[in-house]
Amino acid sequence: QVQLVESGGGLVQPGGSLRLSCAASGSILSLYDMGWYRQTPGKGRELVAHMLGSSSTNYADFVKGRFTISRDNIKNTVSLQMNSLKPEDTAVYYCNARHLVLHSDYWGQGTQVTVSS
């Protein structure tokens, strides 16, 4: 079973950048499909970016061209580089790991991102 811990959230002005990191422990990250989701009050959790293996990526339309997901299977980390942030990007961001064979889902505790002037 993998444990996930996010970091890197905070307050940033519109147009700014943040880099979120997700540190995994307890298992080998290469066994998992990785993703970042976000959630705002009153809304369900929505997919932001997804990475299958080491190169196949998928992004929500609202972040395409602004966010980049990456993973380091040696360091057991997954990152989300967020550029050109907008107030509507304000949310709690969650790291997700889905086992490639068992399809079991694991979540981090979330990290708050606030985009405001």
Side-chain angles (χ1 to χ4, degrees):
Q1 182 171 336
V2 64
Q3 292 82 45
L4 305 171
V5 177
E6 301 98 334
S7 61
L11 173 64
V12 63
Q13 292 187 341
S17 298
L18 279 176
R19 185 176 181 87
L20 305 183
S21 292
C22 174
S25 62
S27 188
I28 302 171
L29 201 58
S30 59
L31 297 175
Y32 297 84
D33 182 12
M34 301 301 299
W36 286 94
Y37 290 72
R38 71 186 188 187
Q39 187 169 19
T40 54
K43 289 184 66 176
R45 204 166 287 188
E46 59 183 358
L47 177 68
V48 174
H50 169 262
M51 190 166 202
L52 176 63
S54 299
S55 59
S56 177
T57 58
N58 180 47
Y59 296 93
D61 286 343
F62 51 78
V63 302
K64 281 183 180 177
R66 299 189 297 124
F67 291 11
T68 303
I69 187 172
S70 60
R71 67 193 291 167
D72 187 327
N73 286 342
I74 296 176
K75 295 182 178 179
N76 251 21
T77 59
V78 177
S79 298
L80 184 69
Q81 178 66 42
M82 305 187 296
N83 299 327
S84 303
L85 283 161
K86 305 175 182 180
E88 51 264 43
D89 294 319
T90 295
V92 178
Y93 284 72
Y94 295 89
C95 179
N96 169 263
R98 174 168 292 181
H99 196 278
L100 293 174
V101 176
L102 301 177
H103 301 296
S104 46
D105 272 312
Y106 301 91
W107 297 91
Q109 82 288 351
T111 185
Q112 176 71 47
V113 171
T114 302
V115 184
S116 175
S117 55

